[in-house]
Amino acid sequence: MQEKPYFCPNCRSNRVKFSVITSYAQSFLKDARSGDITEFHDPGIIPEPEPTIQCLICSFSGNEMRFIKQAEREPRPTSYY
Ligand SMILES: [Zn+2]
């Protein structure tokens, strides 16, 4: 993830609360006859070139770049007080 400001392009009210959506792969062993799962292995993160970000205000999710671009288009207004 990039250390750049985000701004939700959907609700356009959130710059703070996000979650990152990550894909995991978890391998397991199955009993060939009963179908029971006999063993779970530790999950491994599937690396993605660009993370998917979700806005926790409106639940919109999209590529990180969309959030960064929106923040660049509409920078946070500077407060003088
Ligand atoms: Zn939003």
Side-chain angles (χ1 to χ4, degrees):
M1 280 189 286
Q2 301 187 48
E3 291 190 3
K4 288 183 176 173
Y6 290 174
F7 188 29
C8 175
N10 188 53
C11 65
R12 296 165 79 175
S13 65
N14 176 30
R15 300 176 191 269
V16 179
K17 292 179 172 180
F18 303 97
S19 64
V20 58
I21 299 172
T22 313
S23 302
Y24 287 91
Q26 184 165 22
S27 58
F28 55 88
L29 298 180
K30 238 177 182 326
D31 185 292
R33 275 175 298 168
S34 70
D36 288 346
I37 292 171
T38 56
E39 198 177 318
F40 262 112
H41 295 154
D42 287 339
I45 294 178
I46 300 173
E48 290 171 68
E50 193 180 343
T52 300
I53 303 298
Q54 183 178 39
C55 168
L56 292 183
I57 304 299
C58 69
S59 297
F60 170 82
S61 63
N63 285 349
E64 179 187 40
M65 213 55 216
R66 296 191 62 183
F67 288 83
I68 294 173
K69 282 272 185 281
Q70 192 66 33
E72 286 172 352
R73 267 197 296 271
E74 297 182 54
R76 200 173 98 87
T78 310
S79 170
Y80 295 100
Y81 299 99

